[in-house]
Amino acid sequence: MVGKPNRRAVLGTALGAVLATTVAATSGHVTVRSPNSLLRVAVRVVNGRLRYEVKRRGRVLVASSGLGLDLAGRPSLTSGLVVESVERRTIDETWRPVWGSDALVRNHARECVLRTVQPSSGLRLNLVVRVFDDGVGFRYHLPAQAGLDAYTVTAERTEFALPPTATSWSLAAGTDWNADERHYRQAPLSDVRTAQTPLTLATSDGQHVVVHEAALIDYPSMTLAATRPGTFASELISLPDGTKARLSGEFSTPWRTLTIGDRPGDLAESHLIENLNEPCALADTSWITPGTYVGVWWELQRRHTTWTAGPRHGATTERAKQYIDLAKEAGARHVLAEGWNTNAGGQWSGQDFLTPQPDFDLAEVLRYARANDIGFTAHNETRGFVDYYEQHLDTIFARYAQLGIHAIKTGYAIRFELGGANRSHFDQEAVRHYQRVVDAAARHRIMIIAHEAIKPTGLARTYPNLMTGEGVAGMEQHHYMGPLGNPPEQATILPFTRFMGGPADYTPGVLNVTWDPARLGTRVQTTSAAQLALYSVFFSPLQMLADTPENYRSHPGFAYLKDMPASWDETRFLDCVIGDHAVAARRKGDVWYLGAITDEQDRTLRVPLRFLGSGRYSAEIYRDAADTSWQHNPLPIDVETKTVRSSSVLTLRLVAGGGTAIRFRRE
Ligand code: NOJ
Ligand code: CA
């Protein structure tokens, strides 16, 4: 059963403790402090425009920045406003995610709602500000009001006056279908002209900040455009007619967020984005099963087999069974088969997503999967024929539910035809489409892995069947981005950029990194050991073991991946420098998994094991062998086991493009 989410609730969250006071504002000048008082957000109306400023430890982090919206045919809500009232409350609740990077999450913030009115038009606009110890969220709320039934947003006028001297990591803004499947740029913030979010900064005084958004519902994706060096204005992705959003009645925009910390690890450990989303809307989540998955995929990407029918067709009954055997051996819970249905591959048009290819006996594959306690993941590559998909969603999903299929990987490669128009993958209508898929899937107890969809904004807290998504230059880009693939440093940037919004289906775990049957001249730009380390560095509740049965069985690194968890009780990011190296440790029950990766430089890292509990642990260390080199000899790994305690300090010698993966079990 799916509960009825209140998608526009501003104050509707069920909270552990709420203290609310309302005061009539006279000065229109309000300060909201974080619970630990280190962060301070000042909001005021200056010359009729709402403005905000963020200070941390008394120093300005975001200088005075304007706020407001433009609605078609109305005076801009960037002028003529006066504050009518201010309401404050404290939020303090602890919640348990269905899956996540920590078993318990504390949501602790001070909130302030400023109610403003534009006397000349009578329009009302509220600003909701929440200040946490680890950052800030604010959103606009248009309350129900006479004369505002149906209306059009033509621009959002939110500014971010960030420190121009900061170093930044971002993707250029874009509306292309694969705008998120690019490599992050490192640049002085003052050189950045446009950016998608997350946009990540390291300030010259050593603070770290991520600009992003939370709870992107019924609204277009926000990008950023520089108005002067270091200062950005929100630029919403347009509908085909150039406007931004068609709304009716009361509405809350997504939250505009600043995740803030000293260490890069403070960013990656933060739950601010999830905390700004509504609690779980699904009454029963027992059918949501995080875990690793394998499947007919990498062999297709490498053109060893084909999506289309023919002599090299990948998704045959026999091959699917081999992957089910692999899943069982690996402790994986799901098996994906791309190219299982008719008209997959080639032009992809005319798929009904229900008819299997002649050499794929769906009933037999499902029987074999069930007998081995493995779930089948159906591939729905819409190829952008979204109108067709929408019209048939319920029929397709109902049939899957009948068959016992509880997971779908969706895809929107290239176009996005919806509402009779070819549109951006990131506009308001596209955002609504992804949500309709998640809602329909929940009705039929189906989990979603979405490729070429929208960046994550923490919605999985509310809809935990939205398991993971792409929006990342993942493993396949080692192939599509030519001989250079994904440069090693990209993986040291992603935990602090793309993963700030939520899980990514990066699909790690290719151990035969040089495998190139098609002789395309491409390969994976890491060592095999670095692939193992990614299971701690990257989070996805459906996490792929991307390699083939043959490659796994012939590589000693496979032992590390067996029974790998995909949802965690605790996560720590340890020694990390964005773009240089990352060390992350994750715990499931009593077992810790640590992954350390480096960029194109050799590095020696000292890792204190303070995160371990008391007593002795056996550390199984999978590392690059003495003669391993990312470019010339990437496959060899050494496996060593030794006894350690929380007082131990490990010295990890990482070769360029390499990594170390360690499993700690209590002795
Ligand atoms: C792009 C997706 O990202 C990839 O995973 C998939 O295999 C292809 N499209 C085909 O649908
Ligand atoms: Ca893709």
Side-chain angles (χ1 to χ4, degrees), residues 174-198:
T175 54
D176 315 348
W177 66 281
N178 58 356
D180 288 339
E181 294 182 45
R182 301 263 159 86
H183 293 150
Y184 278 81
R185 315 162 292 184
Q186 176 177 325
L189 187 64
S190 54
D191 287 354
V192 174
R193 297 283 164 268
T194 71
Q196 312 199 67
T197 73

Side-chain angles (χ1 to χ4, degrees), residues 177 181 451-452 470 472 476-477:
W177 66 281
E181 294 182 45
H451 275 231
E452 294 90 26
E470 198 188 22
V472 67
E476 71 195 44
Q477 297 298 348

Side-chain angles (χ1 to χ4, degrees), residues 1 3 28 34 38 62 67 93 130 201 203 323-324 327 399 406 426 444 463 499 510 524 604 623 666:
M1 273 300 293
S34 57
L38 293 184
V62 183
L67 296 164
E93 61 168 352
R130 284 191 195 164
L201 318 177
T203 65
Y323 276 97
I324 292 167
R399 179 70 187 134
H406 290 296
F426 314 130
H444 298 289
Y463 311 102
F499 279 88
V510 171
V524 174
T604 299
R623 63 168 167 247
R666 279 193 186 279

Side-chain angles (χ1 to χ4, degrees), residues 123-139:
L123 282 175
R124 295 183 181 280
L125 175 69
N126 300 337
L127 182 74
V128 187
V129 181
R130 284 191 195 164
V131 186
F132 304 76
D133 290 346
D134 57 349
V136 177
F138 59 87
R139 74 184 342 180

